[in-house]
Amino acid sequence: MFTFKPPSDAVPSCELCQQVGGQPVWAQDAWRVIRVNDTDFPAFYRVIYHHHVAEFSALPELQRQRCMQLVGAVERVLVDRLQPTKINLAALGNMVPHLHWHVIARFDWDSHFPQPIWGMRQREVQPAPVSRLACSLGDLDTAMVAALNAA
Amino acid sequence: MFTFKPPSDAVPSCELCQQVGGQPVWAQDAWRVIRVNDTDFPAFYRVIYHHHVAEFSALPELQRQRCMQLVGAVERVLVDRLQPTKINLAALGNMVPHLHWHVIARFDWDSHFPQPIWGMRQREVQPAPVSRLACSLGDLDTAMVAALNAA
């Protein structure tokens, strides 16, 4: 948990400059990790750069490495705790061109599998996806913080 | 250009262990880059690991860094040569769980923008997308090889 404050160079019209973007999980230096509130995909985190940079390759080399260290740490917790069918990683930003990485645990039973979460829904899922996870979201967040602090 | 040969540890049922996966552009050590033949998204490359590893975080740390160096180099060529509206990066692998990164130049006029390429088509594009690019695919491939050799 952390309290979000827009950086001094925040772009007024950018929602990821102005808002935390989800459930705050962890922040350090120029990076934050939030959990996305998505009923279909409850184990869905985002690694977000504090500053308004659109493309991954526009980051300085050391920040690129740091970025993927954090993405890898989030991925590893999802794999270890939830044994998902697959992890999906993506940095798109067509709507919000402010660098953010989606890290999503996918399951063969989820609403869109094997399609990307942005593709066509394949099925309705009952009971709710969150109840099918191997641990609670609270425990997942706690494991995430520990892994990110060690990354 | 390179000639693809399945690695000695190739998985018989995996299409990215058995086939190059697109137009061969560049290969070195455990990595190859191919161009995807996609009419809607002609400036679409994949960075593929030669060996059958499903998740990014399963790579040794040095290979993770190498992977993102190559992804970043491909991205930078697309940005410099084509001035796209946005770059999209993704490692999904729900269908083929063999590590491959999609690096896609997106344009505000393309068939799906601002949706992900896996989302809903937004428009028909005429004349053909490839004819709208700032350079030919041959020139793009040549620039890609030079950048990857220097990466």
Side-chain angles (χ1 to χ4, degrees):
Chain A
M1 275 291 295
F2 64 95
T3 305
F4 174 76
K5 211 180 72 166
S8 56
D9 57 355
V11 172
S13 62
C14 172
E15 70 179 77
L16 286 179
C17 279
Q18 298 297 333
Q19 295 163 32
V20 64
Q23 183 69 31
V25 173
W26 178 90
Q28 194 180 87
D29 303 326
W31 297 94
R32 66 185 187 267
V33 173
I34 62 97
R35 180 161 46 71
V36 180
N37 291 311
D38 188 317
T39 309
D40 289 327
F41 308 102
F44 182 171
Y45 290 79
R46 285 196 190 113
V47 177
I48 305 172
Y49 193 52
H50 275 329
H51 305 287
H52 193 79
V53 166
E55 305 294 1
F56 176 68
S57 66
L59 289 176
E61 177 58 31
L62 281 178
Q63 289 290 13
R64 288 194 215 184
Q65 285 182 25
R66 183 63 176 148
C67 176
M68 298 315 293
Q69 233 171 21
L70 300 175
V71 167
V74 171
E75 172 176 310
R76 197 38 44 192
V77 171
L78 293 177
V79 168
D80 290 347
R81 294 287 164 139
L82 305 179
Q83 293 87 49
T85 309
K86 191 69 192 66
I87 297 291
N88 287 178
L89 303 178
L92 307 178
N94 302 335
M95 303 277 204
V96 182
H98 174 133
L99 188 65
H100 59 284
W101 281 87
H102 306 281
V103 186
I104 315 159
R106 301 296 309 277
F107 298 90
D108 55 10
W109 49 257
D110 78 31
S111 57
H112 288 58
F113 200 89
Q115 293 301 313
I117 70 165
W118 307 280
M120 193 90 81
R121 180 178 288 269
Q122 305 294 305
R123 62 191 67 83
E124 295 304 319
V125 177
Q126 287 296 338
V130 69
S131 71
R132 297 170 173 235
L133 301 183
C135 72
S136 71
L137 294 180
D139 287 353
L140 199 57
D141 286 351
T142 302
M144 221 44 100
V145 169
L148 289 162
N149 281 335
Chain B
M1 274 292 295
F2 63 94
T3 305
F4 175 75
K5 209 180 74 168
S8 55
D9 57 355
V11 172
S13 62
C14 172
E15 69 179 77
L16 286 179
C17 280
Q18 298 296 334
Q19 294 163 33
V20 64
Q23 184 69 31
V25 173
W26 177 90
Q28 194 181 88
D29 302 328
W31 297 94
R32 66 185 187 265
V33 173
I34 61 98
R35 181 162 46 71
V36 179
N37 291 311
D38 188 317
T39 308
D40 289 327
F41 308 102
F44 181 170
Y45 289 78
R46 284 196 191 113
V47 176
I48 305 172
Y49 193 53
H50 275 329
H51 305 286
H52 193 78
V53 166
E55 305 293 1
F56 176 69
S57 67
L59 289 177
E61 177 59 30
L62 282 179
Q63 290 290 12
R64 289 193 214 184
Q65 286 183 24
R66 182 64 176 147
C67 176
M68 299 314 293
Q69 235 172 20
L70 299 176
V71 167
V74 171
E75 172 177 311
R76 197 35 47 191
V77 171
L78 294 177
V79 168
D80 290 347
R81 294 287 165 139
L82 305 179
Q83 294 88 48
T85 309
K86 190 70 190 69
I87 297 291
N88 288 177
L89 303 178
L92 307 177
N94 302 335
M95 303 276 204
V96 182
H98 175 133
L99 187 66
H100 59 284
W101 280 87
H102 306 281
V103 186
I104 315 159
R106 301 296 310 276
F107 298 90
D108 56 10
W109 48 258
D110 78 31
S111 56
H112 288 58
F113 200 89
Q115 292 301 313
I117 70 164
W118 308 280
M120 193 90 82
R121 180 179 288 268
Q122 304 294 304
R123 63 191 66 84
E124 295 303 320
V125 177
Q126 287 294 338
V130 69
S131 71
R132 297 170 173 235
L133 301 183
C135 71
S136 72
L137 294 179
D139 287 354
L140 200 57
D141 286 351
T142 301
M144 222 43 101
V145 169
L148 289 162
N149 281 335

